[in-house]
Amino acid sequence: MQLPWPRTLEEFNQYGKGYLFGYLDMVFTKVEEDEVIAQIPLEQHHFGWHGTLHAGTLFALADSCAGYGCVKSLPQGASGFTTIETKNNFLAMTNSDVIRCVATPVHKGRTTQVWDAVVSCPEEGKELCYYRCTQLILWPVSYTHLTLPTNREV
């Protein structure tokens, strides 16, 4: 099933219901082409059995913010994107009530986008995770800008 791309903040928040975004209780407060901001009110299911915030929670929030930013800034005619690389640096953990993420684009080209995200704990004033990803922009066959060689040119 192909859902239409969300365009408004309300649509982005609705879009996540029933998917990972909703299960992790992500709340997006800004989704624009140049910045995405979201937060997660932390509950037991965001932590590991040892009582420490699960690194996957940090990754999921950062990756979702970057993905929503990519969706919001897809070039006209693009059919979607896929993540082709991610890098995380986990700096600290928290047991506070809320984590927050701010994602911004580093590069927005016709074939790729690169996004950085910082996950932080506003209550403690500390950064928890640095994240960077590269997104490959997908195009319908009719938009392909590559010219394939014919048998005579090979």
Side-chain angles (χ1 to χ4, degrees):
M1 176 174 98
Q2 179 67 28
L3 297 173
W5 292 115
R7 299 312 303 161
T8 67
L9 181 60
E10 182 179 90
E11 289 173 352
F12 275 99
N13 278 304
Q14 289 295 317
Y15 187 80
K17 292 189 177 185
Y19 296 96
L20 182 66
F21 320 96
Y23 288 117
L24 291 179
D25 306 316
M26 293 181 197
V27 177
F28 290 83
T29 57
K30 181 178 183 181
V31 179
E32 297 297 335
E33 292 184 14
D34 63 342
E35 185 177 59
V36 177
I37 301 172
Q39 63 183 24
I40 295 177
L42 297 175
E43 297 181 29
Q44 182 178 346
H45 63 273
H46 297 108
F47 292 82
W49 56 267
H50 45 74
T52 303
L53 181 61
H54 196 287
T57 301
L58 298 171
F59 176 86
L61 180 59
D63 190 60
S64 298
C65 286
Y68 273 14
C70 188
V71 166
K72 186 71 173 182
S73 59
L74 283 173
Q76 186 168 349
S79 60
F81 77 95
T82 188
T83 303
I84 57 175
E85 183 177 35
T86 63
K87 169 71 172 121
N88 293 286
N89 291 104
F90 298 105
L91 308 172
M93 283 295 161
T94 185
N95 290 322
S96 69
D97 295 330
V98 175
I99 57 173
R100 178 179 188 257
C101 181
V102 177
T104 55
V106 176
H107 163 77
K108 293 195 307 184
R110 191 166 158 69
T111 57
T112 60
Q113 290 189 15
V114 177
W115 284 75
D116 280 351
V118 177
V119 181
S120 63
C121 173
E123 292 173 41
E124 298 173 0
K126 65 181 179 181
E127 294 175 342
L128 308 175
C129 172
Y130 291 134
Y131 166 95
R132 175 170 277 190
C133 70
T134 303
Q135 316 281 23
L136 178 68
I137 306 302
L138 303 176
W139 294 92
V141 175
S142 62
Y143 278 88
T144 302
H145 60 278
L146 301 176
T147 303
L148 300 176
T150 64
N151 287 339
R152 286 180 262 142
E153 295 173 331
V154 177

